Amino acid sequence: MEVVIVPDSAAGGELIAEAMADLLRRKPDALLGVATGSTPLPIYEALAAKVRSADVDASRARICQLDEYVGLPSGHPESYRSVVLREVIEPLGLTESSFMGPDGTADDVAAACVAYDRALAEAGGVDLQLLGIGTDGHIGFNEPCSSLASRTRIKTLTEQTRQDNARFFDSVDEVPHHVITQGIGTILDARHLVLLATGAAKAEAVALAVEGPLSALVPASALQLHPHATVVVDEAAASRLKLADYFRATYASKPDWQGI
């Protein structure tokens, strides 16, 4: 696992956007896994700017969803399909045909989970998966004590997660109780995992995920198992890291050809 400490969220967004752009230069039809929420917005803004300036051609890129609410209509502004279309697909100049996501409105949600897992594999696998981290250490919607081998499935949200997401709705009562999420095992299948965390509220979760033991209680600690995982954090989110100085020194001496 590589840990990169950046000054702020804008710097983190630019760093990760450049890594995504570099991937698209090497593999124009790369499958990019995207996350939702406020944290990754600087990434999408920086990548869209690169597309507008012709620094990178994203016209053949494919986009896939990390998770989706169960029972929320696909056209609802806070369904993750709507969010991804609004924040990623449209700014990059792509169409819905480039987009893959689970069906949270399916009559048989369990079957929809299996179908999505299979679709990701049949698409050749995810080349780069973006991740955020919850204050309780969750990734995707894999809440604490999720199986580290889990596949795409239905999960029940904790009250903390529902409270955290209530800012996107008129009230917490409107936040669904259930979601479809890529499981930890599914996430680990991606070739490159990139987690962005910003703000002091994420500091403890980051420290436990990076420096703590591998534990289902902290689902993000599963990144320790991955051969190519990058954790990008701002100074506030890095404030609980015991090895912060080591991570800074390692990144400062990293050869340019290695990338992130």
Side-chain angles (χ1 to χ4, degrees):
M1 179 188 296
E2 179 181 31
V3 179
V4 182
I5 300 174
V6 295
D8 51 37
S9 60
E14 177 60 35
L15 179 72
I16 296 170
E18 180 54 32
M20 296 172 76
D22 187 57
L23 170 61
L24 289 172
R25 294 179 191 115
R26 300 192 314 270
K27 185 177 182 180
D29 65 344
L31 181 56
L32 305 175
V34 297
T36 53
S38 55
T39 300
L41 290 178
I43 302 172
Y44 306 142
E45 291 165 0
L47 184 59
K50 293 178 185 295
V51 170
R52 289 194 302 270
S53 67
D55 186 36
V56 64
D57 179 3
S59 61
R60 293 173 57 194
R62 297 172 294 155
I63 306 295
C64 65
Q65 230 173 305
L66 183 61
D67 39 41
E68 181 58 275
Y69 287 117
V70 170
L72 207 61
S74 60
H76 189 288
E78 294 308 326
S79 76
Y80 286 140
R81 182 178 187 87
S82 293
V83 173
V84 171
L85 289 173
R86 185 168 65 242
E87 297 178 351
V88 183
I89 300 295
E90 292 175 7
L92 294 182
L94 302 176
T95 65
E96 288 195 49
S97 64
S98 66
F99 176 58
M100 300 171 56
D103 185 0
T105 65
D107 292 334
D108 188 339
V109 179
C113 295
V114 174
Y116 188 51
D117 221 55
R118 183 172 59 248
L120 291 173
E122 291 174 351
V126 180
D127 292 293
L128 185 152
Q129 177 65 59
L130 294 176
L131 298 167
I133 185 170
T135 55
D136 59 2
H138 73 250
I139 50 174
F141 275 121
N142 294 285
E143 300 284 21
C145 291
S146 291
S147 166
L148 300 184
S150 55
R151 309 302 300 181
T152 300
R153 69 211 190 286
I154 308 166
K155 288 293 291 182
T156 302
L157 299 180
T158 64
E159 281 309 301
Q160 180 62 59
T161 298
R162 292 183 70 242
Q163 290 286 347
D164 288 346
N165 285 6
R167 67 190 189 277
F168 299 113
F169 294 82
D170 290 334
S171 74
V172 69
D173 294 334
E174 294 185 9
V175 181
H177 286 269
H178 299 94
V179 292
I180 294 175
T181 185
Q182 287 187 34
I184 296 173
T186 306
I187 290 170
L188 292 176
D189 283 345
R191 296 177 182 88
H192 186 189
L193 300 178
V194 181
L195 187 152
L196 176 64
T198 58
K202 301 295 179 71
E204 182 176 5
V206 167
L208 289 171
V210 171
E211 297 176 337
L214 177 67
S215 170
L217 191 61
V218 184
S221 66
L223 271 67
Q224 296 176 26
L225 296 170
H226 199 276
H228 190 190
T230 306
V231 176
V232 179
V233 291
D234 68 0
E235 292 288 349
S239 61
R240 299 287 295 275
L241 291 171
K242 296 176 181 178
L243 297 177
D245 288 342
Y246 172 71
F247 296 139
R248 291 187 183 95
T250 300
Y251 187 68
S253 60
K254 183 176 180 177
D256 292 339
W257 51 263
Q258 200 168 9
I260 73 164

